[in-house]
Amino acid sequence: MMTTTFYRCIFLRFFKALFAVALLGGLAATEAQALDLTLTVGNTERRAIVVNEPPAGEIRPVVLVLHGGRGSAEAQQARTGFDQLALREGFMAVYPEGTEYGAQGFHAWNTGYLMRDQVATADDVAFFDALIDRLIQQYGADPRRIYMTGGSNGGMMVFVYAVQRPAKLAAVAPVVGAMFSFGRKPSVPVPIMMINGAKDEEVPIKGGMSRNPLVRQAQAAPYKSLSATVSFWAKANRSARKPVTSVRGTVRTQTYAATRDGAVTISVVDSAAGHGWPGIAPSGRGNTPIQSFDGAEKVWSFFKTQARP
């Protein structure tokens, strides 16, 4: 006859095994699987890191996350927090990489007006055209839900691509970036949310030249002011003429609502913040990025409400 101790031992072993399976399953569910995508644009090999590719036969939204000047795909992946958000929310996070320059392996984007000596020959618009097409054709990207965000030089590139290829994008969110020219307008409206820090010295919201000597030296033209940039997009998007303004703590949000044939234009400004991706720790060099919200969460909360018809 089996004893109570025997049954208790069997139960404990079963419980431990069940717990181990659950634990391993949980770890697998939260582990971001990344792959390296390469493609040739012109005569140049380009790359991007793809996280959370869907199973065969399924499609998912895509968030393209652009690094800043002197950055890399890996650095942007590590600092922004989009990997875990992609797993939780069910989208692909894609980290494209700009053109390499210098002995230290830095990368940057060709916006036409910045770092011309380093990346003037790069055709980044062609790169994104090819990358988006590849993601749709081979990686299960939903063509109606392709989004683009980026910080600093990456945010500037988001502006450039949104102006030149608005129909390819469901929404964009340039972060601590700026425009250099209003000479070309997007052919169709594209929902946009601009995020900036009022104390940004590198990309000042009042426009003009950067107060960072290294960046200023690399500028071929002054930045457009944030107010002028918001006006440009509200008009191009055929947004409502007057914004709805809300203030929470140090964050002021202006929303120009979408009209029947237009798109929404949003400006988010943190009066206490400087340059950098929202939510990352201050560098300790007198610059504090936005601390009032997480950049990835903020951007995705906007993107997930937008889709192409």
Side-chain angles (χ1 to χ4, degrees):
M1 186 176 183
M2 295 184 181
T3 65
T4 303
T5 301
F6 175 81
Y7 283 117
R8 186 182 294 116
C9 182
I10 294 295
F11 175 78
L12 287 174
R13 288 180 180 177
F14 173 77
F15 180 80
K16 288 179 180 178
L18 188 65
F19 178 78
V21 169
L23 180 62
L24 289 172
L27 288 172
T30 58
E31 186 177 298
Q33 299 296 319
L35 58 91
D36 211 67
L37 182 159
T38 59
L39 65 165
T40 301
V41 180
N43 296 320
T44 306
E45 186 173 277
R46 304 297 298 266
R47 68 181 288 262
I49 297 172
V50 178
V51 174
N52 202 31
E53 179 188 4
E58 296 183 16
I59 60 173
R60 282 180 181 164
V62 171
V63 177
L64 298 164
V65 188
L66 280 58
H67 61 75
R70 306 180 76 179
S72 68
E74 283 84 1
Q76 193 71 346
Q77 180 185 18
R79 77 193 311 177
T80 57
F82 270 105
D83 280 9
Q84 293 304 315
L85 188 59
L87 291 173
R88 191 185 82 203
E89 295 288 318
F91 64 85
M92 270 191 285
V94 178
Y95 306 90
E97 192 161 78
T99 298
E100 185 173 354
Y101 69 93
Q104 294 175 288
F106 295 144
H107 301 82
W109 304 103
N110 182 12
T111 63
Y113 298 90
L114 189 69
M115 303 182 72
R116 298 292 293 162
D117 290 343
Q118 292 85 0
V119 297
T121 61
D123 190 345
D124 287 321
V125 171
F127 171 42
F128 289 120
D129 287 347
L131 176 60
I132 290 170
D133 290 346
R134 177 75 63 84
L135 290 169
I136 292 170
Q137 294 164 6
Q138 298 183 17
Y139 290 85
D142 183 347
R144 296 178 56 248
R145 295 183 294 170
I146 306 291
Y147 310 103
M148 181 179 280
T149 186
S152 194
N153 177 231
M156 298 171 198
M157 190 65 223
V158 171
F159 278 126
V160 171
Y161 196 72
V163 166
Q164 296 195 31
R165 298 289 192 272
K168 279 185 168 287
L169 302 168
V172 296
V175 178
V176 296
M179 293 181 70
F180 292 97
S181 171
F182 298 149
R184 181 172 178 172
K185 294 179 174 58
S187 57
V188 296
V190 57
I192 186 170
M193 179 173 68
M194 293 160 272
I195 299 175
N196 296 86
K199 294 183 177 180
D200 193 334
E201 298 286 318
E202 198 153 317
V203 185
I205 65 172
K206 291 183 178 180
M209 304 302 284
S210 176
R211 291 161 196 160
N212 179 327
L214 292 176
V215 178
R216 184 168 62 247
Q217 186 178 2
Q219 277 184 258
Y223 299 125
K224 297 295 186 182
S225 70
L226 176 61
S227 60
T229 302
V230 172
S231 296
F232 169 85
W233 280 101
K235 184 176 181 179
N237 277 340
R238 302 193 286 273
S239 306
R241 292 187 177 183
K242 293 184 178 180
V244 174
T245 302
S246 64
V247 178
R248 176 174 291 184
T250 58
V251 179
R252 183 172 185 261
T253 303
Q254 288 186 302
T255 302
Y256 296 78
T259 60
R260 182 176 179 180
D261 298 317
V264 66
T265 300
I266 302 172
S267 172
V268 180
V269 178
D270 190 324
S271 63
H275 195 75
W277 187 261
I280 67 170
S283 64
R285 293 175 288 184
N287 174 63
T288 301
I290 293 171
Q291 301 295 297
S292 52
F293 55 81
D294 177 87
E297 294 279 358
K298 187 78 169 179
V299 167
W300 176 245
S301 70
F302 170 60
F303 283 168
K304 67 183 180 181
T305 66
Q306 308 295 326
R308 280 286 170 200

